[in-house]
Amino acid sequence: MTTDTPARLLTLLSLLQTPREWPGGELADRLGVSRRTVRRDIDRLRELGYPVQATMGADGGYRLVAGKAMPPLVLDDEEAVAIAVGLRAGAGHAVEGVDEASVRALAKLEQVLPSRLRHRVATLQAATTPLTSGDGPSIATETLTVMASTVAGQERLRFAYRAADGTESRRVTEPYRLVSTGRRWYLVAYDLDREDWRTFRVDRVSEPFATGARFAPRELPTGSAAEYLRRSMQRHGDSYDIEVTFAAPPEAVATRLPQWLGPPEPAADGTSCVLRATVSDPVDWMAVRLAMVGPDFRVREPAELVERVRELGTRLLGAAGG
């Protein structure tokens, strides 16, 4: 019989998080307690915010259902390792859709992983080669998780940085946001030595260190980290402007585009939309990315992207035997 109430509640919660209905008698047998104690423990979980649903009958059952808020999860060893491996693989290659929230989740998970599980995660990742890793630079997941934890904790971050021309420097920053463009990760931060906002390519960062010094977040000039990144790339000349018309309404296209591109605007005909954005990705990659959105589209500018899309269409048609 489990007499330690907190331990028993955690065991009960772990059982309920399995997607099935548990008869009260079976839960009582698993926990070594009476059905009355199970009912009291269920009430305690409900008070903690876990939406446990009960069913009527001779042997009433219980199941955990979706509620209004996300309660803490209890994971077993295999589940924790599986989630950590998946998040590390995605984060390290800047996979589109794996954004800062995913990296924050990884930072939280790795912080509480026992050393034996952390070793299993590292071993699995080292032995695994992703089939589609993208053509962007790989990043040490430890770098991303350190950065994500300082962003969330409003903690100053120190790191070594290599600029595009190879110049090495040491930076002390107040990290604001991590932004993924689908191929690369960027850090938007206030540089204390330069006394100004800066963007840093994360693949050029090394030796990140959380200093422990807290700070009050400053107001970003543009209000949005993605917008600040776009303007920064435009200023430094390592980007180009695109204009693309999609044969679909804005809301249908926006869900298929990364947030850093910004929202498309409604076109005059009321049935299509126009995307205007500043990008730094190679033109070949951008041609493929636009084709992946789904609806028919037409590139207005730049001319080089128009040509790349035309070449991609010809190659795909040839590959299909058309």
Side-chain angles (χ1 to χ4, degrees), residues 160-216:
Y161 191 69
R162 175 179 51 81
D165 61 2
T167 303
E168 303 277 353
S169 61
R170 306 289 300 188
R171 305 297 183 98
V172 180
T173 65
E174 295 177 352
Y176 183 79
R177 286 289 185 276
L178 282 165
V179 181
S180 171
T181 66
R183 293 182 63 255
R184 294 192 180 104
W185 282 98
Y186 291 85
L187 173 69
V188 176
Y190 188 84
D191 191 316
L192 293 172
D193 292 329
R194 278 77 176 168
E195 297 184 343
D196 199 3
W197 290 93
R198 292 287 190 273
T199 60
F200 303 94
R201 269 181 49 173
V202 177
D203 59 293
R204 294 176 179 167
V205 169
S206 60
E207 304 173 47
F209 178 74
T211 66
R214 305 288 179 178
F215 65 90

Side-chain angles (χ1 to χ4, degrees), residues 59-242:
D59 192 14
Y62 302 94
R63 69 165 54 240
L64 196 63
V65 297
K68 296 181 179 179
M70 177 69 186
L73 295 176
V74 175
L75 303 173
D76 63 29
D77 286 3
E78 299 301 324
E79 293 166 342
V81 168
I83 292 173
V85 168
L87 288 173
R88 284 172 66 96
H93 293 278
V95 176
E96 188 171 313
V98 181
D99 55 13
E100 187 195 346
S102 299
V103 179
R104 289 201 310 271
L106 176 59
K108 290 178 181 179
L109 181 59
E110 293 203 334
Q111 182 180 4
V112 297
L113 277 181
S115 58
R116 70 180 191 282
L117 298 186
R118 199 175 295 116
H119 176 71
R120 286 177 59 187
V121 170
T123 301
L124 274 171
Q125 189 179 34
T128 304
T129 301
L131 180 63
T132 55
S133 60
D135 57 354
S138 295
I139 302 169
T141 359
E142 291 77 8
T143 298
L144 279 173
T145 53
V146 169
M147 288 184 164
S149 64
T150 57
V151 169
Q154 297 174 6
E155 185 177 349
R156 287 181 179 175
L157 175 70
R158 185 171 68 234
F159 54 86
Y161 191 69
R162 175 179 51 81
D165 61 2
T167 303
E168 303 277 353
S169 61
R170 306 289 300 188
R171 305 297 183 98
V172 180
T173 65
E174 295 177 352
Y176 183 79
R177 286 289 185 276
L178 282 165
V179 181
S180 171
T181 66
R183 293 182 63 255
R184 294 192 180 104
W185 282 98
Y186 291 85
L187 173 69
V188 176
Y190 188 84
D191 191 316
L192 293 172
D193 292 329
R194 278 77 176 168
E195 297 184 343
D196 199 3
W197 290 93
R198 292 287 190 273
T199 60
F200 303 94
R201 269 181 49 173
V202 177
D203 59 293
R204 294 176 179 167
V205 169
S206 60
E207 304 173 47
F209 178 74
T211 66
R214 305 288 179 178
F215 65 90
R218 303 170 191 262
E219 185 176 353
L220 190 66
T222 59
S224 161
E227 176 63 22
Y228 184 83
L229 176 61
R230 277 197 296 271
R231 295 186 186 183
S232 176
M233 292 189 299
Q234 196 168 24
R235 285 197 308 270
H236 289 88
D238 56 352
S239 60
Y240 55 94
D241 294 329
I242 65 171

